[in-house]
Structure formats: C-alpha cells, structure tokens
Amino acid sequence: MMKTYPHLGLLTIRLVVGMLFFAHGFLKFSEGIASTVAFFETIGLSGFLAYIVGFIELTGGIVMILGVGTRIVSVLFSMILIGALTTVKRSTGMLGGYELDIALLAMSVSLFLSGGGPYSLWTFMKNRGWSLPIIQQKKD
C-alpha cells in the first residue's frame, strides 16, 4: 500500500495559492495600480476597490505562504474570486476563461476548511507557546 502525505499536499496547495495571489497583487502595484483602477471603473466597480484587492492579494499571498491566518486569508481570496467570477469572468467561458478562478476558489475553500496545517509558521509559533489572546480557545 502506498504511503500518503496529506500534510505535504496541504503545504503544496498553500504555497501555490500564496504565490499566485502574491504575483497578481505584485503585478497590480508594480505596473501601476492606475490601470487596474481604470479597469475596475469600466466594469462598474469603485476604483478604490482595486487598491483593496491588490493589497489583499499582495499581503495575503505572503501570509498564506508563511501559513499565518490561513483561514482568514482564504476567505478573503474566496471573496475576490467570487467577485471576479460574477463580474469579469462570467462571459469568458470555462476553458481559457474562468477555469483557473474555479480551481483557486476550490483550493481557497479547502484551505479554509483545513487551516494552514502542521508545516506553517502559525503551528510553529503555537508549538513554541505563542498565542494571540483574541483567538485563544476557552478551556472549560
């Protein structure tokens, strides 16, 4: 019987999602956010939303790679993807259109359900006794 490595699979998904979102956010800012602002406005969205999306993609990508706040970031990524699917990608068709967005949405939902896993900075910090009071679980 073949041995399985679910934690390495989870790490792979987290790293890929983090790198892809970071790359998208980096591109938005490095090429000048003005073109993204203009694009958002042409599809009827607030141009300011381009800054929010770019910031979430850039910083969220970094923290996703590190494995900190994985569940929160995956929800934010899912919101961005649902927004993209319902506004921009809807008319592009599946193949060559929104297939990547659906795959990233599925991966983001999986990361929300599973968390960052044992190979994450968050787990490392918890194992060393670090905690954040706002997310500590109450012990009865």
Side-chain angles (χ1 to χ4, degrees):
M1 185 168 231
M2 182 184 267
K3 187 171 168 89
T4 62
Y5 302 93
H7 298 307
L8 291 177
L10 178 61
L11 174 65
T12 303
I13 291 171
R14 202 183 78 234
L15 292 176
V16 168
V17 168
M19 286 187 286
L20 289 172
F21 272 94
F22 174 79
H24 278 261
F26 184 79
L27 192 65
K28 281 179 178 63
F29 288 109
S30 67
E31 290 190 347
I33 192 77
S35 60
T36 306
V37 168
F39 173 71
F40 273 49
E41 290 171 347
T42 63
I43 60 171
L45 298 173
S46 166
F48 183 70
L49 191 57
Y51 289 95
I52 295 170
V53 169
F55 179 78
I56 291 170
E57 290 174 344
L58 188 68
T59 59
I62 293 168
V63 297
M64 181 66 75
I65 290 166
L66 295 174
V68 179
T70 301
R71 286 193 163 118
I72 294 168
V73 173
S74 63
V75 167
L76 295 172
F77 286 172
S78 295
M79 291 168 57
I80 290 170
L81 290 162
I82 290 168
L85 285 164
T86 58
T87 57
V88 180
K89 302 288 185 144
R90 176 179 52 197
S91 62
T92 61
M94 171 71 92
L95 298 178
Y98 52 80
E99 70 213 303
L100 176 62
D101 299 87
I102 288 177
L104 286 170
L105 179 58
M107 289 187 272
S108 294
V109 170
S110 295
L111 289 167
F112 169 73
L113 296 172
S114 65
Y119 304 124
S120 66
L121 182 58
W122 179 246
T123 300
F124 175 81
M125 290 173 11
K126 278 191 339 189
N127 290 341
R128 301 288 179 291
W130 293 40
S131 66
L132 293 175
I134 59 171
I135 56 175
Q136 277 185 330
Q137 292 182 353
K138 251 186 165 175
K139 295 182 182 177
D140 294 340

